[in-house]
mmCIF file of all heavy atoms in Angstrom:
data_model
loop_
_atom_site.group_PDB
_atom_site.id
_atom_site.type_symbol
_atom_site.label_atom_id
_atom_site.label_comp_id
_atom_site.label_asym_id
_atom_site.label_seq_id
_atom_site.Cartn_x
_atom_site.Cartn_y
_atom_site.Cartn_z
ATOM 1 N N ILE A 1 101.698 58.031 47.025
ATOM 2 C CA ILE A 1 103.123 57.869 46.707
ATOM 3 C C ILE A 1 103.288 57.010 45.458
ATOM 4 O O ILE A 1 104.070 57.343 44.553
ATOM 5 C CB ILE A 1 103.867 57.241 47.907
ATOM 6 C CG1 ILE A 1 103.876 58.213 49.093
ATOM 7 C CG2 ILE A 1 105.296 56.862 47.519
ATOM 8 C CD1 ILE A 1 104.367 57.598 50.385
ATOM 9 N N ALA A 2 102.545 55.909 45.385
ATOM 10 C CA ALA A 2 102.651 55.001 44.239
ATOM 11 C C ALA A 2 102.242 55.711 42.948
ATOM 12 O O ALA A 2 102.837 55.488 41.881
ATOM 13 C CB ALA A 2 101.778 53.772 44.466
ATOM 14 N N ARG A 3 101.238 56.590 43.048
ATOM 15 C CA ARG A 3 100.750 57.292 41.865
ATOM 16 C C ARG A 3 101.783 58.274 41.317
ATOM 17 O O ARG A 3 101.781 58.604 40.134
ATOM 18 C CB ARG A 3 99.453 58.010 42.222
ATOM 19 C CG ARG A 3 98.580 58.367 41.041
ATOM 20 C CD ARG A 3 97.241 58.877 41.526
ATOM 21 N NE ARG A 3 96.402 57.789 42.009
ATOM 22 C CZ ARG A 3 95.505 57.906 42.986
ATOM 23 N NH1 ARG A 3 95.345 59.052 43.597
ATOM 24 N NH2 ARG A 3 94.772 56.872 43.341
ATOM 25 N N GLU A 4 102.686 58.744 42.180
ATOM 26 C CA GLU A 4 103.718 59.698 41.770
ATOM 27 C C GLU A 4 105.006 59.010 41.301
ATOM 28 O O GLU A 4 105.976 59.677 40.950
ATOM 29 C CB GLU A 4 104.048 60.631 42.934
ATOM 30 C CG GLU A 4 102.880 61.525 43.347
ATOM 31 C CD GLU A 4 103.168 62.300 44.629
ATOM 32 O OE1 GLU A 4 104.252 62.071 45.224
ATOM 33 O OE2 GLU A 4 102.329 63.128 45.035
ATOM 34 N N ALA A 5 105.008 57.680 41.291
ATOM 35 C CA ALA A 5 106.222 56.935 40.948
ATOM 36 C C ALA A 5 106.715 57.279 39.544
ATOM 37 O O ALA A 5 105.926 57.407 38.604
ATOM 38 C CB ALA A 5 105.951 55.437 41.044
ATOM 39 N N GLN A 6 108.023 57.405 39.421
ATOM 40 C CA GLN A 6 108.655 57.633 38.115
ATOM 41 C C GLN A 6 109.058 56.273 37.554
ATOM 42 O O GLN A 6 110.217 55.858 37.624
ATOM 43 C CB GLN A 6 109.873 58.550 38.273
ATOM 44 C CG GLN A 6 109.545 59.919 38.839
ATOM 45 C CD GLN A 6 108.630 60.719 37.931
ATOM 46 O OE1 GLN A 6 108.892 60.859 36.736
ATOM 47 N NE2 GLN A 6 107.538 61.249 38.488
ATOM 48 N N LYS A 7 108.064 55.568 37.026
ATOM 49 C CA LYS A 7 108.318 54.209 36.548
ATOM 50 C C LYS A 7 109.075 54.222 35.223
ATOM 51 O O LYS A 7 108.902 55.117 34.401
ATOM 52 C CB LYS A 7 106.993 53.462 36.380
ATOM 53 C CG LYS A 7 106.274 53.167 37.678
ATOM 54 C CD LYS A 7 104.960 52.468 37.448
ATOM 55 C CE LYS A 7 103.923 53.409 36.853
ATOM 56 N NZ LYS A 7 102.583 52.774 36.773
ATOM 57 N N LYS A 8 109.902 53.193 35.054
ATOM 58 C CA LYS A 8 110.604 53.004 33.788
ATOM 59 C C LYS A 8 109.882 51.923 32.976
ATOM 60 O O LYS A 8 109.201 51.061 33.558
ATOM 61 C CB LYS A 8 112.054 52.589 34.037
ATOM 62 C CG LYS A 8 112.905 53.688 34.657
ATOM 63 C CD LYS A 8 114.358 53.260 34.782
ATOM 64 C CE LYS A 8 115.217 54.397 35.341
ATOM 65 N NZ LYS A 8 116.637 54.008 35.479
ATOM 66 N N PRO A 9 110.018 51.935 31.662
ATOM 67 C CA PRO A 9 109.428 50.853 30.856
ATOM 68 C C PRO A 9 109.924 49.501 31.348
ATOM 69 O O PRO A 9 111.101 49.366 31.722
ATOM 70 C CB PRO A 9 109.918 51.157 29.441
ATOM 71 C CG PRO A 9 110.208 52.624 29.444
ATOM 72 C CD PRO A 9 110.703 52.941 30.822
ATOM 73 N N ILE A 10 109.042 48.529 31.342
ATOM 74 C CA ILE A 10 109.399 47.227 31.915
ATOM 75 C C ILE A 10 110.564 46.584 31.163
ATOM 76 O O ILE A 10 111.317 45.781 31.741
ATOM 77 C CB ILE A 10 108.163 46.295 31.953
ATOM 78 C CG1 ILE A 10 108.402 45.140 32.926
ATOM 79 C CG2 ILE A 10 107.802 45.817 30.562
ATOM 80 C CD1 ILE A 10 108.620 45.568 34.358
ATOM 81 N N GLN A 11 110.768 46.937 29.899
ATOM 82 C CA GLN A 11 111.908 46.398 29.150
ATOM 83 C C GLN A 11 113.233 46.846 29.775
ATOM 84 O O GLN A 11 114.205 46.087 29.788
ATOM 85 C CB GLN A 11 111.832 46.834 27.681
ATOM 86 C CG GLN A 11 110.707 46.186 26.891
ATOM 87 C CD GLN A 11 109.365 46.869 27.097
ATOM 88 O OE1 GLN A 11 109.271 47.850 27.845
ATOM 89 N NE2 GLN A 11 108.326 46.368 26.431
ATOM 90 N N GLU A 12 113.286 48.076 30.304
ATOM 91 C CA GLU A 12 114.500 48.554 30.968
ATOM 92 C C GLU A 12 114.759 47.799 32.263
ATOM 93 O O GLU A 12 115.904 47.520 32.618
ATOM 94 C CB GLU A 12 114.394 50.058 31.259
ATOM 95 C CG GLU A 12 114.452 50.949 30.030
ATOM 96 C CD GLU A 12 114.531 52.418 30.401
ATOM 97 O OE1 GLU A 12 115.106 52.730 31.474
ATOM 98 O OE2 GLU A 12 114.011 53.254 29.630
ATOM 99 N N ILE A 13 113.696 47.485 32.968
ATOM 100 C CA ILE A 13 113.838 46.727 34.214
ATOM 101 C C ILE A 13 114.340 45.314 33.902
ATOM 102 O O ILE A 13 115.217 44.778 34.582
ATOM 103 C CB ILE A 13 112.501 46.675 34.971
ATOM 104 C CG1 ILE A 13 111.966 48.089 35.229
ATOM 105 C CG2 ILE A 13 112.659 45.912 36.280
ATOM 106 C CD1 ILE A 13 112.900 48.981 36.024
ATOM 107 N N GLY A 14 113.781 44.714 32.848
ATOM 108 C CA GLY A 14 114.237 43.383 32.459
ATOM 109 C C GLY A 14 115.700 43.373 32.054
ATOM 110 O O GLY A 14 116.443 42.436 32.380
ATOM 111 N N ALA A 15 116.136 44.427 31.357
ATOM 112 C CA ALA A 15 117.529 44.503 30.913
ATOM 113 C C ALA A 15 118.500 44.508 32.087
ATOM 114 O O ALA A 15 119.633 44.025 31.970
ATOM 115 C CB ALA A 15 117.730 45.760 30.056
ATOM 116 N N LYS A 16 118.063 45.042 33.236
ATOM 117 C CA LYS A 16 118.933 45.073 34.418
ATOM 118 C C LYS A 16 119.342 43.673 34.881
ATOM 119 O O LYS A 16 120.415 43.494 35.466
ATOM 120 C CB LYS A 16 118.222 45.777 35.578
ATOM 121 C CG LYS A 16 118.171 47.286 35.487
ATOM 122 C CD LYS A 16 117.622 47.864 36.796
ATOM 123 C CE LYS A 16 117.739 49.380 36.821
ATOM 124 N NZ LYS A 16 117.330 49.940 38.132
ATOM 125 N N ILE A 17 118.481 42.689 34.637
ATOM 126 C CA ILE A 17 118.787 41.320 35.066
ATOM 127 C C ILE A 17 118.950 40.395 33.865
ATOM 128 O O ILE A 17 118.812 39.175 33.981
ATOM 129 C CB ILE A 17 117.715 40.785 36.033
ATOM 130 C CG1 ILE A 17 116.300 41.017 35.496
ATOM 131 C CG2 ILE A 17 117.872 41.422 37.415
ATOM 132 C CD1 ILE A 17 115.197 40.429 36.362
ATOM 133 N N GLY A 18 119.233 40.990 32.711
ATOM 134 C CA GLY A 18 119.596 40.200 31.546
ATOM 135 C C GLY A 18 118.453 39.602 30.762
ATOM 136 O O GLY A 18 118.666 38.670 29.974
ATOM 137 N N ILE A 19 117.240 40.107 30.933
ATOM 138 C CA ILE A 19 116.098 39.585 30.187
ATOM 139 C C ILE A 19 115.880 40.468 28.955
ATOM 140 O O ILE A 19 115.631 41.673 29.084
ATOM 141 C CB ILE A 19 114.823 39.565 31.041
ATOM 142 C CG1 ILE A 19 115.055 38.816 32.356
ATOM 143 C CG2 ILE A 19 113.670 38.910 30.266
ATOM 144 C CD1 ILE A 19 113.852 38.825 33.291
ATOM 145 N N SER A 20 115.971 39.885 27.790
ATOM 146 C CA SER A 20 115.791 40.651 26.558
ATOM 147 C C SER A 20 114.312 40.910 26.299
ATOM 148 O O SER A 20 113.438 40.254 26.873
ATOM 149 C CB SER A 20 116.386 39.892 25.376
ATOM 150 O OG SER A 20 115.599 38.740 25.089
ATOM 151 N N ASN A 21 114.039 41.842 25.409
ATOM 152 C CA ASN A 21 112.656 42.160 25.059
ATOM 153 C C ASN A 21 111.914 40.949 24.513
ATOM 154 O O ASN A 21 110.708 40.789 24.721
ATOM 155 C CB ASN A 21 112.614 43.296 24.034
ATOM 156 C CG ASN A 21 113.087 44.618 24.609
ATOM 157 O OD1 ASN A 21 113.386 44.715 25.799
ATOM 158 N ND2 ASN A 21 113.171 45.630 23.765
ATOM 159 N N ASP A 22 112.632 40.084 23.805
ATOM 160 C CA ASP A 22 112.004 38.903 23.212
ATOM 161 C C ASP A 22 111.507 37.923 24.266
ATOM 162 O O ASP A 22 110.661 37.067 23.970
ATOM 163 C CB ASP A 22 112.986 38.194 22.280
ATOM 164 C CG ASP A 22 113.283 39.010 21.027
ATOM 165 O OD1 ASP A 22 112.487 39.911 20.711
ATOM 166 O OD2 ASP A 22 114.323 38.742 20.387
ATOM 167 N N ASP A 23 112.055 38.016 25.476
ATOM 168 C CA ASP A 23 111.682 37.084 26.544
ATOM 169 C C ASP A 23 110.715 37.695 27.546
ATOM 170 O O ASP A 23 110.490 37.141 28.621
ATOM 171 C CB ASP A 23 112.932 36.571 27.263
ATOM 172 C CG ASP A 23 113.690 35.562 26.433
ATOM 173 O OD1 ASP A 23 113.041 34.664 25.873
ATOM 174 O OD2 ASP A 23 114.929 35.677 26.320
ATOM 175 N N LEU A 24 110.160 38.848 27.184
ATOM 176 C CA LEU A 24 109.148 39.488 28.026
ATOM 177 C C LEU A 24 107.822 39.536 27.284
ATOM 178 O O LEU A 24 107.768 39.859 26.100
ATOM 179 C CB LEU A 24 109.562 40.913 28.398
ATOM 180 C CG LEU A 24 110.742 41.077 29.363
ATOM 181 C CD1 LEU A 24 111.072 42.555 29.537
ATOM 182 C CD2 LEU A 24 110.440 40.441 30.711
ATOM 183 N N LEU A 25 106.756 39.204 27.990
ATOM 184 C CA LEU A 25 105.407 39.348 27.454
ATOM 185 C C LEU A 25 104.761 40.502 28.206
ATOM 186 O O LEU A 25 104.254 40.328 29.317
ATOM 187 C CB LEU A 25 104.593 38.066 27.653
ATOM 188 C CG LEU A 25 103.127 38.110 27.221
ATOM 189 C CD1 LEU A 25 102.998 38.372 25.724
ATOM 190 C CD2 LEU A 25 102.407 36.820 27.598
ATOM 191 N N PRO A 26 104.788 41.720 27.637
ATOM 192 C CA PRO A 26 104.319 42.899 28.375
ATOM 193 C C PRO A 26 102.811 42.886 28.609
ATOM 194 O O PRO A 26 102.034 42.479 27.751
ATOM 195 C CB PRO A 26 104.713 44.074 27.468
ATOM 196 C CG PRO A 26 105.723 43.519 26.508
ATOM 197 C CD PRO A 26 105.344 42.081 26.331
ATOM 198 N N TYR A 27 102.428 43.342 29.800
ATOM 199 C CA TYR A 27 101.038 43.637 30.131
ATOM 200 C C TYR A 27 100.991 45.136 30.378
ATOM 201 O O TYR A 27 101.165 45.608 31.493
ATOM 202 C CB TYR A 27 100.598 42.873 31.379
ATOM 203 C CG TYR A 27 100.253 41.419 31.129
ATOM 204 C CD1 TYR A 27 101.238 40.504 30.747
ATOM 205 C CD2 TYR A 27 98.951 40.950 31.279
ATOM 206 C CE1 TYR A 27 100.915 39.166 30.516
ATOM 207 C CE2 TYR A 27 98.635 39.624 31.048
ATOM 208 C CZ TYR A 27 99.623 38.742 30.670
ATOM 209 O OH TYR A 27 99.308 37.426 30.446
ATOM 210 N N GLY A 28 100.820 45.901 29.309
ATOM 211 C CA GLY A 28 100.941 47.342 29.414
ATOM 212 C C GLY A 28 102.409 47.746 29.370
ATOM 213 O O GLY A 28 103.249 47.053 28.795
ATOM 214 N N HIS A 29 102.747 48.867 30.009
ATOM 215 C CA HIS A 29 104.099 49.407 29.949
ATOM 216 C C HIS A 29 104.941 49.075 31.179
ATOM 217 O O HIS A 29 106.169 49.211 31.140
ATOM 218 C CB HIS A 29 104.050 50.929 29.798
ATOM 219 C CG HIS A 29 103.330 51.387 28.572
ATOM 220 N ND1 HIS A 29 103.830 51.203 27.306
ATOM 221 C CD2 HIS A 29 102.130 52.013 28.417
ATOM 222 C CE1 HIS A 29 102.989 51.699 26.416
ATOM 223 N NE2 HIS A 29 101.939 52.191 27.069
ATOM 224 N N ASP A 30 104.294 48.626 32.277
ATOM 225 C CA ASP A 30 105.032 48.528 33.534
ATOM 226 C C ASP A 30 104.972 47.160 34.206
ATOM 227 O O ASP A 30 105.320 47.008 35.366
ATOM 228 C CB ASP A 30 104.543 49.598 34.518
ATOM 229 C CG ASP A 30 103.018 49.595 34.662
ATOM 230 O OD1 ASP A 30 102.376 48.619 34.224
ATOM 231 O OD2 ASP A 30 102.489 50.575 35.230
#
């Protein structure tokens, strides 16, 4: 099930709670 997940870029997830791209240190895309 996890392998079939339709994940969104982590920047979109951060935007949902008000975290800008500048305040995220990505480890890959998710």
Side-chain angles (χ1 to χ4, degrees):
I1 293 170
R3 201 171 285 149
E4 295 172 356
Q6 300 297 309
K7 292 178 288 187
K8 292 184 177 180
I10 198 62
Q11 290 82 0
E12 290 188 31
I13 304 302
K16 283 188 172 185
I17 49 176
I19 306 177
S20 70
N21 292 356
D22 291 341
D23 286 314
L24 290 176
L25 176 62
Y27 281 67
H29 301 291
D30 51 14

